[in-house]
Amino acid sequence: MQRYANYSLTIFSMIIVLVSCAIMLPAAELPIEASHDVIVVGAGSSGLTSAYYLKDYDVKILERNDYTGGSTMSAVYEDISYPIGVAKTTLSTLLLEIAGDLGLHPIPIPNHDISFFNDGTIYYGLEGLMTTFIEEGGLEEWGRFYVTSKAAYFLNYYSNPETAELDQITAKQWFDNEQFAPLFYKVYDAKARLLFGAGLEEVSALSLLPIIFQDADSLPIGLGADDINNDPISESESATYFTFPSGMTEYTNAIAEALSDKIQLNSNVESITKDGEWMRVIYSDPDGTQHALQSRAVILAIPAYIVGYLAPEILSEEQKTLLNQIEYSSYCIVSLFGDEPIFGDAFDLQFTDGMLVTDLIDQTWALRKNEIMPEGSDVQIYSAIIAPTSYQDQSFKELTQEELIEKVYTDLETFDPDVRTKVDEYRVDWFSSGAPVMTVGARQRLARLQEITNGSLALCGSYMIYPDFNATITSGYNAAQQTIRVIKGQSAIEFFELY
């Protein structure tokens, strides 16, 4: 069995690189090589979105890696490109607008193709989820859970962040206060681990509500207990999530192609300073040679903890404090390759029994759905997503690769005892700063960070609004609008918030 791994740069090593570069940096002596309207640092989904809305200006994108997309990345196995990281998204007006411009066609993932494994049984889609809840708590309890959740969502998300009460308590405290049935907690604890890399004891109740709301808002209307059908081919459900024929990387790849003349890879930005009305950006190429550029504005589309190291002279003390309060969690994706299906009735199999694996995603689902699999290919590609139960407990990273794979097999054997014989090869990808954790007070802190971040330095990324794909690209759009105002000499505008 062939085995290979890819390890993302750890936070510690990133800091060492940045600090060491800063020490050797003769920034004031480097001649300016080029001037631009705006420089975007980072070619992930938020940075690319920012640059896309600035494409009519002189924009330069600097990316330290040799690829674009950030955590929305892909790999190739036997001539099949498959996504790593972001697998699906809900649709927003912004995403539809960009997809339309680029000629992309998002495809729906029927709700019954998002399945759940609980207590030895696979439940298909939201009707299956309803089945589990009603079996444990009864129809009345199921209704109370969703009615309460939707009411809390509207009362808190559309209030002033400073008065959003559920932003000030953990999701666990909210569950305890409402005394919901234990299964509700178990299901949404697993969902929180996937999105935030943390359980309900650490994320704010307000941060959990969009996840519950999406489920509640997508349930078929008027169904009673007798109408529920735990069927993998149920036709009564619509689609909550979408993807693209070749995965979510189709979005970032299309923007990167459209902006190819503006993107510069292998360019490690080391410092950003301000000289009058100009921003000065120092970066190095792979051989260590330093270069200096200047621009009217800079957009930092990078993790929050790096921002402070790149622009300490520009950020206010309050901005630094708020950025330092943003916690990140690590996660891991184990891709499994073979020619036999591990499960064949769903796009995403979610686990609710506290396993190391939170989700198993069928990465060739979209290819088969659209009948674009390579002719004669029977390749099966699955991604097992591993997220910690707590962002403060990263002990799973201490596992050897063999120990990690053994735990993955053990988890998957709970529903497929023959899984080991079906896997011919595997790949391990670590993401050391994969998910910003929406801890207690996150909405209030981020609202304040947006309020005081204006002018020629803009911030965007998964931490600025909410750590899902739509919110991430929305933050890129916001940064672009802020920058356009700077270039045109106009006053600031209010940010658009997705949730």
Side-chain angles (χ1 to χ4, degrees), residues 443-494:
R443 179 173 171 79
Q444 182 177 346
R445 292 193 298 270
L446 294 182
R448 178 58 181 165
L449 183 61
Q450 289 181 353
E451 181 182 355
I452 64 176
T453 300
N454 47 54
S456 53
L457 183 67
L459 309 178
C460 64
S462 59
Y463 67 91
M464 282 297 290
I465 301 176
Y466 195 76
D468 69 8
F469 192 79
N470 272 320
T472 300
I473 66 172
T474 298
S475 75
Y477 172 85
N478 286 345
Q481 298 310 303
Q482 174 184 329
T483 301
I484 290 171
R485 292 292 174 128
V486 170
I487 294 172
K488 291 183 175 181
Q490 298 174 347
S491 59
I493 59 174
E494 290 187 7

Side-chain angles (χ1 to χ4, degrees), residues 380-402:
Q380 302 285 331
I381 302 174
Y382 296 90
S383 292
I385 301 177
I386 299 171
T389 56
S390 164
Y391 76 89
Q392 300 180 74
D393 179 11
Q394 301 293 304
S395 57
F396 76 102
K397 293 195 299 184
E398 299 173 3
L399 298 173
T400 66
Q401 186 163 301
E402 290 71 22

Side-chain angles (χ1 to χ4, degrees), residues 45 72 86 88-89 95 248 251-252 467-474:
S45 55
T72 310
V86 181
K88 62 184 187 290
T89 183
L95 181 58
M248 292 303 298
Y251 171 88
T252 50
D468 69 8
F469 192 79
N470 272 320
T472 300
I473 66 172
T474 298

Side-chain angles (χ1 to χ4, degrees), residues 20 39-40 52 66 94 99 150 172 185 191 211 238 283 295 317 331 345-346 372 377 401 430 451 464 491:
S20 62
I39 294 173
V40 179
Y52 184 77
D66 60 0
L94 183 62
K150 291 181 76 169
K172 182 180 185 306
Y185 181 94
K191 287 174 176 275
I211 305 176
S238 59
Y283 75 92
S295 61
E317 290 304 314
Y331 67 97
D345 293 325
I372 55 177
S377 175
Q401 186 163 301
W430 288 94
E451 181 182 355
M464 282 297 290
S491 59

Side-chain angles (χ1 to χ4, degrees), residues 273-280:
T273 55
K274 191 169 185 179
D275 184 9
E277 295 185 355
W278 289 95
M279 304 288 281
R280 184 181 180 91

Side-chain angles (χ1 to χ4, degrees), residues 347-365:
F347 170 82
D348 182 0
L349 181 62
Q350 301 178 353
F351 296 90
T352 62
D353 286 335
M355 299 176 179
L356 186 66
V357 176
T358 65
D359 289 68
L360 184 65
I361 296 173
D362 182 352
Q363 299 290 17
T364 56
W365 178 91

